[in-house]
């Protein structure tokens, strides 16, 4: 049975601009069989009149955290709380609204919303002191907790800092309520994981799926998969009849234990999962390594100090990192390395080059996540090595840029998120949101990409507009190239014969109405594998 979608404005995402547009497309079962003019279309059993609407390939969010995103959508939102008073007011209100709660969780606060950028447990205690409070920073690399949470976690002056992390302390050595990097993971998040039930995780999964489908996302790349996430999505697959409503490719999170054998055992588990029977709906494709932190928290590893004279060491030393990358590369796993500072980026590329030297030349597609500040020449080196630049336009939103710029405080600020450099060098550039560290909405992400203006606060002027990309190129990075970033470029991410019927219909055309309309445009229909998964 063939369904013809006719009378539309169809952006095909073909890399040749001359073939980037069509009027119609046809679908047989779960596959596109035609894209072009209506007069050339095959005979169809059903014809759908698109009424001139804009149609796009389904977006792939090439870097996200699904369980965390689903959970975050049910937590106290704090990104737009731009003062301590407002943060405290929201916490008080949440506590009053749920007096039976035994824990309070919030997410998304910004360092420059807190006096001196130095949050303390006492600040939260002033609002909520009777139950543990856990507040994940906007970058999800730090967790701010109250005194009850410190007690629940058993953190005292004698608790050691973990490898790659820090427990903030006062001049007397007492913990102050901030957990940085691996301290957040090993204490706050480990407690969260232990306390979360399977039923709650199942709710988080469905919440994340529904939110993505409503915003035109048909595929995601999870960047922190673990046993909890695997089990939750396997249960979801059963609930949905052996499939999922959207396509999930996952990278297994590898933590630095300080012991090579333990680190390599994690790689072996990822290889085992990647080698198991997989489907287009759920598969493990690689590993994820977090090499440094964030510029906002002054925990990204830089070649030169921050404005305050501080700096941060990489979470992975070269000695510990290289065996893991070599083993993963040898196993055919894709290696994704979080590297935000230029020192960490160079360390990531050095490890990839070392793996190539050890394992020999062959087809491979590794990737670096974020690349917020990298030195000139980095893009060319990545292109030469075939390394994908996985970047998040929403992280460049001007409404949250001031603290980022202040932490660097010099000419490095002018090289923030320079997407055209990667295009010009010929590196594959894949766009994503890194939800829940930023809003998951695909069209808002594209607005920032194509304007360098703010989707969070449109009154804020654009920052570095010279790095904005034309909308058609930004869309290509969010669809075609995002799919290619996990090896799917030959069968999804475009509207073309032989490609998966993953498409999105919008209620307005930003190409005609201007980029600003992306903030008001809504998804009318999301189709995955030829079936309607969201209808507005």
């Amino acid at each position: 049975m063939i369904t013809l979608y006719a009378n539309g404005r169809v952006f095909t995402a073909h890399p040749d601009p001359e073939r980037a547009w069509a009027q119609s497309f046809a679908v047989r079962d779960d596959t596109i069989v035609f894209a072009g003019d209506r007069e050339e279309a095959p005979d169809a059993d059903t014809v759908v009149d698109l009424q001139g609407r804009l149609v796009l390939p389904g977006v792939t969010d090439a870097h996200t955290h699904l369980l965390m995103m689903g959970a975050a959508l049910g937590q106290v939102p704090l990104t737009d709380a731009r003062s301590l008073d407002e943060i405290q007011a929201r916490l008080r209100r949440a506590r009053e609204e749920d007096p039976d709660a035994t824990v309070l969780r919030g997410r998304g606060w910004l360092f420059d919303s807190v006096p001196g950028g130095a949050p303390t447990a006492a600040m939260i205690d002033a609002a909520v002191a009777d139950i543990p409070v856990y507040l994940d920073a906007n970058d999800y690399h730090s967790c701010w907790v109250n005194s009850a949470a410190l007690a629940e976690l058993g953190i005292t002056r004698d608790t050691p800092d973990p490898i790659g992390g820090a427990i903030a302390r006062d001049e007397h050595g007492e913990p102050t309520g901030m957990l940085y990097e691996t301290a957040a993971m090993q204490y706050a998040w480990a407690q969260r994981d232990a306390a979360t039930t399977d039923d709650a995780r199942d709710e988080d999964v469905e919440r994340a799926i529904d939110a993505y489908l409503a915003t035109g996302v048909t595929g995601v790349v999870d960047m922190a998969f673990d046993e909890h996430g695997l089990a939750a999505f396997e249960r979801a697959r059963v609930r949905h009849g052996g499939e999922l409503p959207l396509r999930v490719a996952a990278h297994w999170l590898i933590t630095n234990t300080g012991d090579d054998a333990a680190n390599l055992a994690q790689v072996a588990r990822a290889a085992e999962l990647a080698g198991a029977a997989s489907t287009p709906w759920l598969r493990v494709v690689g590993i994820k390594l977090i090499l440094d932190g964030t510029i906002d928290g002054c925990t990204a590893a830089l070649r030169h100090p921050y404005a305050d004279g501080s700096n941060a060491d990489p979470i992975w030393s070269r000695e510990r990192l290289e065996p893991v990358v070599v083993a993963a590369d040898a196993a055919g796993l894709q290696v994704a390395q979080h590297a935000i500072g230029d020192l960490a980026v160079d360390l990531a590329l050095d490890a990839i080059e070392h793996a190539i030297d050890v394992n020999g030349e062959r087809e491979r597609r590794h990737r670096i996540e974020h690349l917020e500040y990298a030195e000139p020449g980095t893009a060319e080196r990545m292109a030469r090595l075939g390394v994908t630049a996985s970047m998040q336009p929403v992280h460049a939103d001007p409404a949250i840029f001031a603290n980022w710029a202040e932490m660097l405080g010099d000419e490095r600020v002018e090289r923030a998120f320079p997407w055209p450099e990667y295009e010009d060098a010929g590196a594959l550039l894949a766009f994503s949101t890194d939800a829940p560290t930023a809003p998951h909405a695909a069209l808002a992400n594209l607005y920032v990409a194509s304007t360098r203006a703010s989707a969070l606060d449109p009154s804020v002027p654009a920052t570095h507009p010279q790095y904005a990309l034309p909308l058609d190129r930004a869309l290509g990075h969010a669809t075609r190239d995002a799919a290619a970033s996990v090896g799917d470029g030959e069968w999804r991410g475009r509207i073309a014969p032989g490609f998966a019927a993953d498409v999105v219909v919008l209620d307005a055309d930003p190409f005609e109405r201007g980029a600003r309309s992306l903030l008001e445009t809504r998804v009318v229909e999301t189709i995955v594998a030829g079936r309607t998964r969201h209808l507005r």
Side-chain angles (χ1 to χ4, degrees):
M1 179 174 175
I2 293 178
T3 300
L4 175 66
Y5 294 81
N7 189 29
R9 283 249 301 159
V10 181
F11 178 76
T12 69
H14 195 287
D16 180 356
E18 298 294 321
R19 302 172 63 185
W21 291 94
Q23 296 174 339
S24 305
F25 68 98
V27 173
R28 178 188 289 119
D29 299 327
D30 59 357
T31 304
I32 296 167
V33 295
F34 166 80
D37 294 338
R38 169 70 184 269
E39 295 75 20
E40 301 170 353
D43 293 336
D45 301 280
T46 304
V47 177
V48 176
D49 185 357
L50 292 168
Q51 300 178 335
R53 284 175 168 152
L54 180 66
V55 180
L56 310 173
V59 171
T60 292
D61 194 334
H63 180 129
T64 187
H65 305 272
L66 285 163
L67 278 181
M68 292 173 67
M69 173 186 156
L73 290 172
Q75 295 172 357
V76 182
L78 298 173
T79 304
D80 60 344
R82 299 300 276 142
S83 69
L84 178 60
D85 286 345
E86 178 59 23
I87 291 171
Q88 291 172 331
R90 293 191 187 188
L91 297 180
R92 290 190 188 98
R93 186 159 55 248
R95 183 71 182 108
E96 291 167 0
E97 290 173 353
D98 191 2
D100 296 327
T102 57
V103 65
L104 179 60
R105 299 188 186 275
R107 48 89 180 179
W109 60 271
L110 300 167
F111 278 93
D112 58 358
S113 297
V114 181
T120 66
M123 294 176 183
I124 304 178
D125 293 344
V128 178
D130 62 323
I131 60 173
V133 178
Y134 297 87
L135 307 178
D136 288 317
N138 191 57
D139 56 25
Y140 275 76
H141 279 250
S142 305
C143 189
W144 176 16
V145 302
N146 68 350
S147 297
L150 287 172
E152 180 175 61
L153 297 173
I155 293 176
T156 69
R157 62 180 296 122
D158 299 320
T159 304
D161 290 344
I163 295 171
I167 299 168
R169 306 172 196 271
D170 64 19
E171 65 273 19
H172 305 295
E174 297 293 338
T176 62
M178 273 301 297
L179 307 175
Y180 293 98
E181 301 299 334
T182 58
M185 296 174 63
Q186 294 185 28
Y187 292 107
W189 294 358
Q191 189 281 336
R192 175 203 65 198
D193 290 345
T196 302
T197 65
D198 285 349
D199 286 345
R201 288 192 183 92
D202 292 346
E203 292 176 4
D204 293 342
V205 166
E206 297 301 329
R207 193 183 290 125
I209 289 173
D210 289 346
Y212 265 135
L213 292 172
T215 55
V217 174
T218 59
V220 296
V221 183
D222 191 285
M223 278 292 167
F225 228 49
D226 59 11
E227 299 291 353
H228 293 300
L230 177 63
F233 275 88
E234 287 288 7
R235 291 194 300 273
R237 194 156 64 91
V238 172
R239 286 196 305 275
H240 290 279
E243 299 181 352
L244 287 171
L246 80 172
R247 306 180 192 277
V248 179
H251 285 74
W252 201 252
L253 182 63
I254 308 295
T255 58
N256 183 11
T257 66
D259 177 78
D260 285 342
N263 293 344
L264 292 174
Q266 297 176 73
V267 176
R269 174 60 172 153
E272 175 190 2
L273 292 170
S278 64
T279 73
W281 303 105
L282 180 62
R283 58 206 166 103
V284 173
V285 298
I287 65 167
K288 166 74 175 302
L289 302 163
I290 302 175
L291 269 56
D292 68 345
T294 67
I295 288 173
D296 283 286
C298 295
T299 53
L302 300 171
R303 290 202 169 276
H304 303 287
Y306 289 89
D308 64 2
S310 69
N311 208 338
D313 293 327
I315 293 171
W316 287 81
S317 67
R318 186 179 303 273
E319 180 185 16
R320 296 280 85 82
L321 177 65
E322 287 185 346
V324 167
V325 175
V326 167
D329 180 74
L333 295 168
Q334 184 179 59
V335 179
Q337 299 180 80
H338 166 120
I340 282 180
D342 55 347
L343 181 63
V345 171
D346 288 346
L347 177 62
L349 291 173
D350 289 348
I352 290 171
E353 282 202 292
H354 177 68
I356 294 171
D357 290 341
V358 172
N359 295 327
E361 294 288 345
R362 60 172 176 76
E363 190 71 25
R364 48 170 61 85
R365 171 62 70 184
H366 299 314
R367 49 194 289 161
I368 295 180
E369 311 302 312
H370 310 308
L371 291 155
E372 293 187 7
Y373 174 73
E375 291 186 322
T378 299
E380 289 77 11
R381 187 182 180 194
M382 291 177 65
R384 176 172 58 83
L385 293 172
V387 176
T388 296
S390 171
M391 303 181 75
Q392 298 73 40
V394 276
H395 284 177
D397 192 300
I400 60 172
F401 186 71
N403 185 73
W404 192 101
E406 183 182 349
M407 296 304 101
L408 292 183
D410 55 26
E411 66 278 0
R412 290 175 293 184
V413 173
E414 299 307 313
R415 290 189 48 73
F417 311 91
W419 309 314
E421 285 190 9
Y422 297 92
E423 285 188 333
D424 294 343
L428 183 69
L429 175 60
F431 278 162
S432 57
T433 68
D434 194 17
T437 74
H440 65 275
L443 298 182
N445 197 28
L446 289 165
Y447 174 71
V448 179
S450 59
T451 64
R452 294 295 285 237
S454 176
L456 295 171
D457 183 356
S459 69
V460 177
T463 302
H464 301 135
Q466 70 273 22
Y467 295 144
L469 299 176
L471 181 56
D472 58 342
R473 281 160 49 190
L475 262 169
H477 298 316
T479 56
R480 175 193 66 237
D481 298 337
S485 75
V486 285
D488 295 348
E490 297 301 316
W491 67 275
R492 67 183 185 92
R494 290 168 47 194
I495 298 178
F499 278 65
D502 300 349
V503 298
V504 178
V505 183
L506 304 184
D507 69 355
D509 187 346
F511 286 98
E512 293 183 343
R513 298 179 58 186
R516 183 66 177 266
S517 68
L518 285 162
L519 299 180
E520 291 84 36
T521 298
R522 296 293 177 263
V523 172
V524 173
E525 186 174 11
T526 302
I527 299 170
V528 185
R531 284 178 286 168
T532 297
R533 297 292 192 168
H534 167 79
L535 187 63
R536 183 170 177 262

